Amino acid sequence: WVCGCQPDSKTLQPTRDTVFFRDGVRRIDFVLSYVDDKDEKKQERRRAFEANLEKIGLQLETEDKSVRSSAKDQLLKKKTIHAPWDVLATYADVLKIKVPFRESDIPHGQDVPLEWLSRPFRLPDDIIRPQCDYFTYPFDKNKTDFFLIEDKDTFFPPSTRNRIVFYILARCPYYAEGRKDREKTGIKRLLSNGTFNAAFPLHDCRYWKKARKDDGESERYNLYKHWARFLCFYKEQPLNLIRKYYGEKIGIYFAWLGFYTEMLFFAAIMGLICFTYGVLSYDDNISSKEICDPEIGGSIVMCPLCDKKCPFWKLNSTCLSSWQSHLFDNEGTVFFAIFMGIWVTLFLEFWKRRQARLEYQWDLVDFEEEQQQLQIRPEFEIKCTKRRINKITQVDGQLCNISLIVACIIGVIAYRLAVYAAFASIIKDPLRKIQLVGRFITPQLATSVTASCINFAIIMILNFFYEKVAVWITDMEIPKTHLEYENKLTMKMFLFQFVNYYSSCFYVAFFKGKFVGYPGAYSYMLGNLTKLRNEECDPGGCLIELTTQLVIVMAGKQLWGNIQEALLPLMRNWWSSRKGRHNPENHYSRWEQDYVLQNFSQLGLFYEYLEMVIQFGFITLFVASFPLAPLLALFNNILEIRVDAWKFTTQFRRPVASKARNIGAWQEILNAVAILSVVTNAFIMAFTSDMIPRMVYLYVLSKDRSMSGYVNSSLSIYNISQIHPQNMPEERWYDNSTTTCRYRDYRNPPGHQREYDHNMQFWHILAAKMAFIIIMEHVVFVVKFFVAWMIPDVPSDVKARIKRERYLIQEYLHNYEVERLKMQLSASFITEPCSEMTLTSDKQEMLSECL
């Protein structure tokens, strides 16, 4: 600037907001930034690293003008890296990167009937198909004339270029010439020791404005315009453009997330129908009417639910919870549980077909072997001269963390028991002044809600520790390939999170109310060591408490996740603008604009998968208790897709493109959860729901085939005079004419020959429950395996296309080799002496005939 005058922003933009070197020709493939803190060791590492990069053939350029960091009063500098053709060709050959050699002549699929119905949901063709279809073949540096190379500068797309450069950076040493230290290798170590503070490829343009024509395509702008905005929530995703810009690994994630969301639509519709049936059959619920009836429920005195603090209570105090329970515990729930067992099979099988189609379209059919052999982690190459797995760390670390989870669950159970007594002492008699509160907030409801909230808080706290421990254990094992590393980390992390998120639901579903005992012989937590009696279920059943637990944990996790992913970045942007960090964008160079964005870590996609798979577990393992769970998941995922898209296009630096053939170990986890969900829902319907006892009463015990009298039949009688003094409540508000109390069980009454033993009704119901579990599991499993057998994993047209393409590739390659050999033989024929002319001619004819 001269005389304090600031140049016009329009004149700055052409020279600063660019993805090219200062010569305007060489493209910037990667950026390395560092703080110039005058540290001699760091400077020595940088010089050695940069010198080794230049020896490999990479070209580096230093920013002339340093930029002051706003966080500290230090100078921030950058090195831009350009990979010339020779380097790209060499490493494309090493990595066996597939590149086009001929435009595909295989026609696209036939037009879909009633295609006009899908037009409102479709995107422009240039966005859906950003490039033509080509036959591809692994690049060979010695056969460059075989490939469609029109311009060497643009032959490899930016995603491939930054992948190659990162491969070099991850393996380049930074020790000086003449010295050798295996530990001093790779950009990751330089980032961890502070030599560089960032390493990233550049976005191609600003997300809200197209790039200049000379700077290439504006793919980031198109992604933001057609994908990342929430107003596009009803549109299809531009998967091919996502794959082209971010790489196949991120593309396959969004393809899976979109397909999962589409399939959730059908589950949400069926769940809504099931819930609507519960609402419409509200008035036909005879059991709830009997509980709420002052003449029936109001005359039944129930035994105390805890020692000392809990009073005797009237059955009609649970009137509201019995009506609420009916919304989810009705005949439609059985149908929905069976439907979800079949739905999850259809989802997984159709996803396999969708995945197979993407593998073909994205040239990933033969990628698995390449990835295993070529994508070796630099950490393995540096640390492993001999392979050894730390078995002690792998096993004991997991057991230690699972023990921690179990300890927390025991603590929450103890809290539930202690707090229940406290609430019961406050919310006792509905005839007191707190009648309104006591009617709607029962001790069971208050305990369940607060315990669920505390359990959710514990889950969020433990998540932080499990992440650190799982990464540490996996790093100690030093897996060989990136795929192996991710699969090992996935299994460990999911095991921790499975116990962490689902253990409380398993407790309420399968343990609460099952080991209570009866008045005079109650069971206590940890035996006689504590005075905390095991929890009992509400007379309406434990299903409504399982519903409460599921809703709070599932909805709370989704809400917290959206706050972290959307609101916090917005608040950071707002705070940065308040501090004055964002000057007019035209004054920023392209690398400066990307530098202030968040770094997308190697495990960034891992956490996105983990979030969705945990949600998948909620809507399958316990869906019988809450049919609206798929609907909540559907709304969340519609928002999740656009929030993730917004983060990738506006908040994150451009990640290094990487390949993936499928969703990896998550596929096996989904299969395991799908099988387990059939078992859990069968047990929920049998042992948590009141469906089976009602059916036994209706079809076996009821004389008029109605539900009248069911409530009285489901409650056993106990003589109050036989209650031990330590179990008696401190306050006795019942009148002296009351000699017995009722409790939830099927036992013989006082005075019976087998007093307080289980009666025949208990054994009838138990037999019916076991029969229901066996029948439901067998029916659902038979249908699941039949559907899986009927639906092939790879569509027939994709199989035919793969075979056809392989045949054509071999034919074109054969013709190329023949022509190349003829040219070589012709050249050698001209240079040979005349005396050998006949022999050479015969050799040429023979070789041509053999080929």
Side-chain angles (χ1 to χ4, degrees):
W1 299 350
V2 182
C3 301
C5 298
Q6 181 177 347
D8 185 28
S9 61
K10 292 182 180 180
T11 62
L12 280 173
Q13 181 177 353
T15 57
R16 295 184 61 80
D17 188 20
T18 180
V19 293
F20 291 93
F21 276 14
R22 283 190 291 269
D23 58 16
V25 177
R26 292 174 294 171
R27 186 181 186 91
I28 298 174
D29 296 314
F30 230 86
V31 173
L32 303 178
S33 65
Y34 60 93
V35 175
D36 190 6
D37 53 4
K38 309 302 180 183
D39 188 319
E40 293 183 2
K41 289 185 177 180
K42 293 180 181 179
Q43 290 178 353
E44 182 181 353
R45 293 192 204 111
R46 280 194 292 268
R47 285 194 296 267
F49 188 67
E50 293 166 8
N52 289 330
L53 290 177
E54 290 177 338
K55 286 181 181 179
I56 293 173
L58 296 179
Q59 298 175 3
L60 279 66
E61 186 176 76
T62 305
E63 179 77 5
D64 287 343
K65 195 172 183 179
S66 302
V67 180
R68 287 199 173 273
S69 172
S70 61
K72 296 181 180 180
D73 192 19
Q74 294 175 323
L75 295 177
L76 188 66
K77 294 186 177 182
K78 62 94 177 179
K79 292 279 187 178
T80 53
I81 300 175
H82 169 75
W85 169 257
D86 289 340
V87 174
L88 293 174
T90 300
Y91 282 90
D93 194 348
V94 170
L95 295 173
K96 303 300 180 186
I97 294 175
K98 289 187 174 182
V99 294
F101 69 89
R102 185 184 178 92
E103 190 169 346
S104 174
D105 55 4
I106 298 179
H108 293 289
Q110 298 179 352
D111 294 338
V112 180
L114 302 178
E115 186 180 3
W116 59 272
L117 290 175
S118 63
R119 287 177 185 171
F121 309 101
R122 296 190 61 81
L123 294 173
D125 289 339
D126 61 324
I127 302 299
I128 293 298
R129 292 189 179 90
Q131 57 189 5
C132 300
D133 291 336
Y134 293 98
F135 290 136
T136 59
Y137 189 74
F139 186 80
D140 189 338
K141 190 177 181 180
N142 298 320
K143 300 178 182 178
T144 54
D145 56 334
F146 176 66
F147 303 101
L148 294 178
I149 304 177
E150 297 179 0
D151 185 353
K152 290 184 177 181
D153 292 334
T154 60
F155 178 69
F156 292 107
S159 59
T160 302
R161 297 175 69 99
N162 69 56
R163 178 187 165 202
I164 291 175
V165 172
F166 182 76
Y167 182 88
I168 298 172
L169 293 175
R171 288 157 178 81
C172 181
Y174 55 88
Y175 47 77
E177 186 176 358
R179 300 167 57 188
K180 191 168 185 179
D181 187 349
R182 291 177 59 87
E183 294 289 331
K184 295 183 176 182
T185 301
I187 187 64
K188 290 184 179 180
R189 294 186 65 86
L190 291 173
L191 290 171
S192 63
N193 61 31
T195 304
F196 292 100
N197 61 0
F200 55 92
L202 293 178
H203 284 292
D204 62 355
C205 66
R206 305 170 191 172
Y207 67 86
W208 70 90
K209 184 178 181 181
K210 284 188 175 183
R212 297 176 304 169
K213 292 183 179 180
D214 296 340
D215 281 358
E217 302 179 35
S218 303
E219 293 175 350
R220 185 190 186 193
Y221 169 80
N222 288 330
L223 285 170
Y224 177 76
K225 180 180 179 181
H226 299 284
W227 179 50
R229 295 189 303 171
F230 184 74
L231 294 179
C232 302
F233 73 92
Y234 62 95
K235 296 279 189 179
E236 63 180 326
Q237 296 188 86
L239 295 177
N240 290 320
L241 185 58
I242 297 170
R243 172 246 181 171
K244 182 183 177 185
Y245 191 73
Y246 291 113
E248 287 80 2
K249 191 172 185 178
I250 292 176
I252 204 77
Y253 163 72
F254 280 104
W256 176 82
L257 180 57
F259 184 80
Y260 171 46
T261 304
E262 292 171 9
M263 292 295 292
L264 274 177
F265 175 78
F266 302 101
I269 293 296
M270 294 305 301
L272 188 60
I273 292 174
C274 178
F275 178 77
T276 304
Y277 172 80
V279 174
L280 296 179
S281 61
Y282 206 67
D283 295 332
D284 299 330
N285 185 11
I286 298 177
S287 299
S288 295
K289 289 182 178 179
E290 290 185 347
I291 292 175
C292 298
D293 191 340
E295 301 297 326
I296 302 177
S299 63
I300 296 177
V301 177
M302 302 295 294
C303 298
L305 295 176
C306 65
D307 296 339
K308 297 296 184 180
K309 297 296 182 181
C310 299
F312 294 93
W313 53 286
K314 294 292 185 69
L315 180 61
N316 64 349
S317 65
T318 61
C319 175
L320 181 62
S321 64
S322 68
W323 284 110
Q324 293 170 343
S325 180
H326 174 74
L327 294 176
F328 307 105
D329 189 4
N330 53 66
E331 295 80 2
T333 307
V334 179
F335 167 78
F336 186 65
I338 296 174
F339 168 81
M340 287 301 295
I342 300 173
W343 173 87
V344 72
T345 303
L346 292 173
F347 162 63
L348 294 175
E349 292 302 318
F350 284 133
W351 165 245
K352 290 178 184 177
R353 293 171 61 84
R354 174 67 170 147
Q355 187 172 256
R357 195 174 294 277
L358 288 176
E359 287 178 14
Y360 166 72
Q361 294 175 352
W362 292 355
D363 277 332
L364 299 171
V365 176
D366 302 318
F367 176 68
E368 192 69 30
E369 183 178 355
E370 299 172 19
Q371 189 176 33
Q372 288 287 353
Q373 294 179 354
L374 297 174
Q375 303 301 311
I376 298 176
R377 299 174 64 239
E379 294 85 349
F380 178 87
E381 296 176 336
I382 295 170
K383 297 180 180 179
C384 280
T385 55
K386 294 182 180 180
R387 182 66 186 266
R388 184 182 66 180
I389 298 178
N390 192 331
K391 295 183 179 180
I392 296 176
T393 304
Q394 181 179 358
V395 176
D396 289 355
Q398 294 181 17
L399 292 179
C400 176
N401 283 277
I402 293 175
S403 300
L404 178 62
I405 299 173
V406 173
C408 291
I409 294 302
I410 293 174
V412 173
I413 295 172
Y415 163 84
R416 294 174 68 102
L417 299 176
V419 171
Y420 181 83
F423 277 119
S425 64
I426 299 173
I427 311 173
K428 293 179 181 178
D429 185 1
L431 299 177
R432 297 185 179 184
K433 295 181 180 179
I434 56 172
Q435 178 178 0
L436 182 62
V437 177
R439 179 183 176 186
F440 292 99
I441 305 178
T442 62
Q444 293 95 332
L445 178 61
T447 302
S448 180
V449 171
T450 56
S452 299
C453 293
I454 289 178
N455 183 68
F456 174 71
I458 292 175
I459 288 172
M460 293 295 103
I461 294 172
L462 290 180
N463 274 347
F464 175 78
F465 296 101
Y466 299 149
E467 173 190 336
K468 302 296 183 184
V469 172
V471 172
W472 175 70
I473 294 174
T474 309
D475 288 340
M476 291 291 290
E477 296 175 23
I478 316 179
K480 183 176 182 180
T481 65
H482 291 290
L483 180 64
E484 185 180 349
Y485 180 89
E486 291 183 5
N487 288 346
K488 286 179 177 292
L489 180 61
T490 297
M491 298 305 296
K492 291 179 180 64
M493 197 68 176
F494 180 76
L495 177 62
F496 293 153
Q497 300 290 14
F498 182 91
V499 181
N500 192 25
Y501 276 104
Y502 304 142
S503 53
S504 58
C505 292
F506 272 100
Y507 163 73
V508 175
F510 305 122
F511 295 97
K512 182 179 179 182
K514 308 301 185 295
F515 309 99
V516 177
Y518 60 93
Y522 284 118
S523 299
Y524 290 82
M525 181 181 176
L526 303 179
N528 296 324
L529 298 177
T530 65
K531 295 183 179 180
L532 297 175
R533 264 169 47 186
N534 290 343
E535 283 187 281
E536 295 186 41
C537 287
D538 190 273
C542 270
L543 193 72
I544 188 64
E545 293 191 42
L546 177 59
T547 303
T548 303
Q549 180 77 29
L550 180 63
V551 170
I552 290 178
V553 176
M554 178 181 173
K557 183 184 183 305
Q558 294 183 165
L559 180 62
W560 177 247
N562 290 328
I563 290 175
Q564 284 183 309
E565 294 182 356
L567 293 184
L568 292 182
L570 287 174
M571 292 177 64
R572 279 196 297 266
N573 293 345
W574 175 81
W575 180 249
S576 298
S577 63
R578 285 289 301 267
K579 291 174 67 177
R581 290 181 59 182
H582 292 295
N583 296 323
E585 297 295 340
N586 288 341
H587 295 281
Y588 277 126
S589 64
R590 166 57 37 211
W591 80 270
E592 291 174 273
Q593 295 177 39
D594 288 0
Y595 175 80
V596 298
L597 301 177
Q598 299 177 56
N599 180 47
F600 185 76
S601 67
Q602 182 182 356
L603 299 178
L605 212 56
F606 169 83
Y607 296 111
E608 302 294 343
Y609 273 117
L610 181 63
E611 179 184 1
M612 289 296 103
V613 172
I614 292 294
Q615 181 203 85
F616 180 79
F618 279 124
I619 69 165
T620 53
L621 294 173
F622 309 103
V623 73
S625 65
F626 188 49
L628 294 180
L631 185 63
L632 291 182
L634 175 64
F635 289 148
N636 175 80
N637 288 9
I638 291 174
L639 179 63
E640 180 76 20
I641 291 175
R642 303 304 160 178
V643 169
D644 286 350
W646 173 77
K647 286 192 308 180
F648 272 94
T649 54
T650 68
Q651 301 300 302
F652 285 138
R653 298 169 186 163
R654 184 173 185 172
V656 178
S658 57
K659 285 182 174 289
R661 182 179 179 181
N662 48 45
I663 61 176
W666 298 110
Q667 183 73 43
E668 298 303 321
I669 291 175
L670 292 175
N671 290 333
V673 171
I675 294 174
L676 182 61
S677 67
V678 178
V679 179
T680 56
N681 283 298
F683 273 83
I684 287 173
M685 295 307 304
F687 288 99
T688 310
S689 167
D690 259 10
M691 180 60 58
I692 302 302
R694 289 200 297 263
M695 293 298 100
V696 171
Y697 179 82
L698 179 64
Y699 294 109
V700 178
L701 302 177
S702 178
K703 296 180 180 179
D704 57 355
R705 290 297 176 91
S706 72
M707 292 301 295
S708 299
Y710 167 73
V711 173
N712 184 65
S713 172
S714 64
L715 300 175
S716 298
I717 303 173
Y718 196 83
N719 194 335
I720 294 179
S721 62
Q722 295 178 330
I723 297 180
H724 195 277
Q726 70 177 10
N727 303 132
M728 287 294 289
E730 296 173 349
E731 298 183 19
R732 307 183 185 183
W733 57 266
Y734 62 91
D735 52 48
N736 294 327
S737 62
T738 304
T739 58
T740 60
C741 63
R742 311 294 291 272
Y743 60 99
R744 180 182 171 86
D745 208 341
Y746 298 96
R747 295 180 181 270
N748 294 317
H752 192 276
Q753 184 178 1
R754 301 183 64 181
E755 187 179 62
Y756 304 135
D757 286 344
H758 287 299
N759 56 24
M760 286 304 298
Q761 186 176 357
F762 170 83
W763 299 109
H764 281 304
I765 293 174
L766 181 60
K769 289 179 177 180
M770 299 307 296
F772 173 82
I773 290 173
I774 294 173
I775 293 173
M776 178 178 172
E777 286 185 354
H778 280 68
V779 169
V780 175
F781 277 132
V782 167
V783 174
K784 278 173 64 69
F785 292 125
F786 177 74
V787 170
W789 175 74
M790 285 288 294
I791 302 175
D793 292 347
V794 182
S796 58
D797 65 312
V798 173
K799 286 183 179 179
R801 285 171 175 267
I802 291 174
K803 292 179 181 179
R804 172 66 176 165
E805 183 167 327
R806 284 177 175 171
Y807 168 76
L808 293 176
I809 288 174
Q810 291 300 322
E811 183 180 11
Y812 294 141
L813 188 62
H814 169 265
N815 294 336
Y816 167 79
E817 293 290 353
V818 170
E819 293 299 325
R820 187 179 183 185
L821 184 57
K822 286 181 178 179
M823 293 178 63
Q824 291 176 353
L825 292 175
S826 298
S828 63
F829 173 77
I830 295 174
T831 58
E832 285 180 353
C834 295
S835 59
E836 300 180 2
M837 185 178 301
T838 306
L839 180 60
T840 305
S841 178
D842 294 340
K843 184 190 299 184
Q844 180 178 355
E845 292 178 4
M846 183 179 296
L847 288 174
S848 300
E849 185 176 349
C850 291
L851 289 172

PDB file of all heavy atoms in Angstrom, residues 86-97:
ATOM      1  N   ASP A  86       5.260 -35.837 -13.764  1.00  0.00           N
ATOM      2  CA  ASP A  86       6.100 -37.007 -13.525  1.00  0.00           C
ATOM      3  C   ASP A  86       5.816 -37.636 -12.160  1.00  0.00           C
ATOM      4  O   ASP A  86       5.763 -38.857 -12.018  1.00  0.00           O
ATOM      5  CB  ASP A  86       7.577 -36.630 -13.629  1.00  0.00           C
ATOM      6  CG  ASP A  86       8.000 -36.327 -15.064  1.00  0.00           C
ATOM      7  OD1 ASP A  86       7.272 -36.771 -15.977  1.00  0.00           O
ATOM      8  OD2 ASP A  86       9.023 -35.648 -15.264  1.00  0.00           O
ATOM      9  N   VAL A  87       5.655 -36.808 -11.153  1.00  0.00           N
ATOM     10  CA  VAL A  87       5.363 -37.329  -9.809  1.00  0.00           C
ATOM     11  C   VAL A  87       3.979 -37.970  -9.777  1.00  0.00           C
ATOM     12  O   VAL A  87       3.792 -39.073  -9.240  1.00  0.00           O
ATOM     13  CB  VAL A  87       5.458 -36.202  -8.769  1.00  0.00           C
ATOM     14  CG1 VAL A  87       5.024 -36.699  -7.394  1.00  0.00           C
ATOM     15  CG2 VAL A  87       6.876 -35.653  -8.719  1.00  0.00           C
ATOM     16  N   LEU A  88       3.000 -37.293 -10.360  1.00  0.00           N
ATOM     17  CA  LEU A  88       1.646 -37.843 -10.384  1.00  0.00           C
ATOM     18  C   LEU A  88       1.605 -39.169 -11.120  1.00  0.00           C
ATOM     19  O   LEU A  88       0.968 -40.134 -10.670  1.00  0.00           O
ATOM     20  CB  LEU A  88       0.691 -36.844 -11.044  1.00  0.00           C
ATOM     21  CG  LEU A  88       0.441 -35.529 -10.290  1.00  0.00           C
ATOM     22  CD1 LEU A  88      -0.396 -34.590 -11.148  1.00  0.00           C
ATOM     23  CD2 LEU A  88      -0.268 -35.790  -8.965  1.00  0.00           C
ATOM     24  N   ALA A  89       2.281 -39.235 -12.264  1.00  0.00           N
ATOM     25  CA  ALA A  89       2.270 -40.468 -13.052  1.00  0.00           C
ATOM     26  C   ALA A  89       2.960 -41.602 -12.305  1.00  0.00           C
ATOM     27  O   ALA A  89       2.492 -42.752 -12.311  1.00  0.00           O
ATOM     28  CB  ALA A  89       2.958 -40.223 -14.389  1.00  0.00           C
ATOM     29  N   THR A  90       4.073 -41.308 -11.645  1.00  0.00           N
ATOM     30  CA  THR A  90       4.804 -42.344 -10.917  1.00  0.00           C
ATOM     31  C   THR A  90       3.956 -42.938  -9.796  1.00  0.00           C
ATOM     32  O   THR A  90       3.841 -44.166  -9.659  1.00  0.00           O
ATOM     33  CB  THR A  90       6.104 -41.779 -10.327  1.00  0.00           C
ATOM     34  OG1 THR A  90       6.919 -41.302 -11.397  1.00  0.00           O
ATOM     35  CG2 THR A  90       6.849 -42.834  -9.528  1.00  0.00           C
ATOM     36  N   TYR A  91       3.345 -42.081  -8.984  1.00  0.00           N
ATOM     37  CA  TYR A  91       2.593 -42.578  -7.837  1.00  0.00           C
ATOM     38  C   TYR A  91       1.206 -43.086  -8.223  1.00  0.00           C
ATOM     39  O   TYR A  91       0.637 -43.925  -7.521  1.00  0.00           O
ATOM     40  CB  TYR A  91       2.503 -41.496  -6.755  1.00  0.00           C
ATOM     41  CG  TYR A  91       3.794 -41.382  -5.979  1.00  0.00           C
ATOM     42  CD1 TYR A  91       4.804 -40.519  -6.392  1.00  0.00           C
ATOM     43  CD2 TYR A  91       4.014 -42.177  -4.863  1.00  0.00           C
ATOM     44  CE1 TYR A  91       6.002 -40.433  -5.698  1.00  0.00           C
ATOM     45  CE2 TYR A  91       5.202 -42.095  -4.157  1.00  0.00           C
ATOM     46  CZ  TYR A  91       6.193 -41.225  -4.575  1.00  0.00           C
ATOM     47  OH  TYR A  91       7.383 -41.163  -3.889  1.00  0.00           O
ATOM     48  N   ALA A  92       0.648 -42.602  -9.305  1.00  0.00           N
ATOM     49  CA  ALA A  92      -0.591 -43.194  -9.812  1.00  0.00           C
ATOM     50  C   ALA A  92      -0.344 -44.633 -10.254  1.00  0.00           C
ATOM     51  O   ALA A  92      -1.204 -45.512 -10.084  1.00  0.00           O
ATOM     52  CB  ALA A  92      -1.141 -42.371 -10.974  1.00  0.00           C
ATOM     53  N   ASP A  93       0.844 -44.873 -10.799  1.00  0.00           N
ATOM     54  CA  ASP A  93       1.233 -46.243 -11.161  1.00  0.00           C
ATOM     55  C   ASP A  93       1.416 -47.092  -9.908  1.00  0.00           C
ATOM     56  O   ASP A  93       0.974 -48.238  -9.834  1.00  0.00           O
ATOM     57  CB  ASP A  93       2.523 -46.186 -11.976  1.00  0.00           C
ATOM     58  CG  ASP A  93       2.815 -47.517 -12.676  1.00  0.00           C
ATOM     59  OD1 ASP A  93       2.153 -48.521 -12.353  1.00  0.00           O
ATOM     60  OD2 ASP A  93       3.709 -47.554 -13.542  1.00  0.00           O
ATOM     61  N   VAL A  94       2.066 -46.534  -8.888  1.00  0.00           N
ATOM     62  CA  VAL A  94       2.291 -47.273  -7.642  1.00  0.00           C
ATOM     63  C   VAL A  94       0.972 -47.610  -6.950  1.00  0.00           C
ATOM     64  O   VAL A  94       0.764 -48.736  -6.474  1.00  0.00           O
ATOM     65  CB  VAL A  94       3.192 -46.450  -6.700  1.00  0.00           C
ATOM     66  CG1 VAL A  94       3.247 -47.090  -5.316  1.00  0.00           C
ATOM     67  CG2 VAL A  94       4.580 -46.309  -7.289  1.00  0.00           C
ATOM     68  N   LEU A  95       0.063 -46.649  -6.886  1.00  0.00           N
ATOM     69  CA  LEU A  95      -1.213 -46.841  -6.196  1.00  0.00           C
ATOM     70  C   LEU A  95      -2.273 -47.513  -7.060  1.00  0.00           C
ATOM     71  O   LEU A  95      -3.384 -47.750  -6.593  1.00  0.00           O
ATOM     72  CB  LEU A  95      -1.747 -45.480  -5.717  1.00  0.00           C
ATOM     73  CG  LEU A  95      -0.902 -44.766  -4.662  1.00  0.00           C
ATOM     74  CD1 LEU A  95      -1.446 -43.366  -4.414  1.00  0.00           C
ATOM     75  CD2 LEU A  95      -0.862 -45.558  -3.382  1.00  0.00           C
ATOM     76  N   LYS A  96      -1.945 -47.801  -8.313  1.00  0.00           N
ATOM     77  CA  LYS A  96      -2.876 -48.464  -9.230  1.00  0.00           C
ATOM     78  C   LYS A  96      -4.196 -47.703  -9.341  1.00  0.00           C
ATOM     79  O   LYS A  96      -5.277 -48.277  -9.277  1.00  0.00           O
ATOM     80  CB  LYS A  96      -3.144 -49.898  -8.785  1.00  0.00           C
ATOM     81  CG  LYS A  96      -1.894 -50.762  -8.652  1.00  0.00           C
ATOM     82  CD  LYS A  96      -1.161 -50.873  -9.979  1.00  0.00           C
ATOM     83  CE  LYS A  96       0.088 -51.733  -9.853  1.00  0.00           C
ATOM     84  NZ  LYS A  96       0.899 -51.742 -11.101  1.00  0.00           N
ATOM     85  N   ILE A  97      -4.086 -46.398  -9.511  1.00  0.00           N
ATOM     86  CA  ILE A  97      -5.272 -45.559  -9.628  1.00  0.00           C
ATOM     87  C   ILE A  97      -5.910 -45.774 -11.001  1.00  0.00           C
ATOM     88  O   ILE A  97      -5.229 -45.690 -12.025  1.00  0.00           O
ATOM     89  CB  ILE A  97      -4.910 -44.079  -9.416  1.00  0.00           C
ATOM     90  CG1 ILE A  97      -4.457 -43.867  -7.973  1.00  0.00           C
ATOM     91  CG2 ILE A  97      -6.082 -43.171  -9.748  1.00  0.00           C
ATOM     92  CD1 ILE A  97      -3.963 -42.479  -7.681  1.00  0.00           C
TER      93      ILE A  97
END
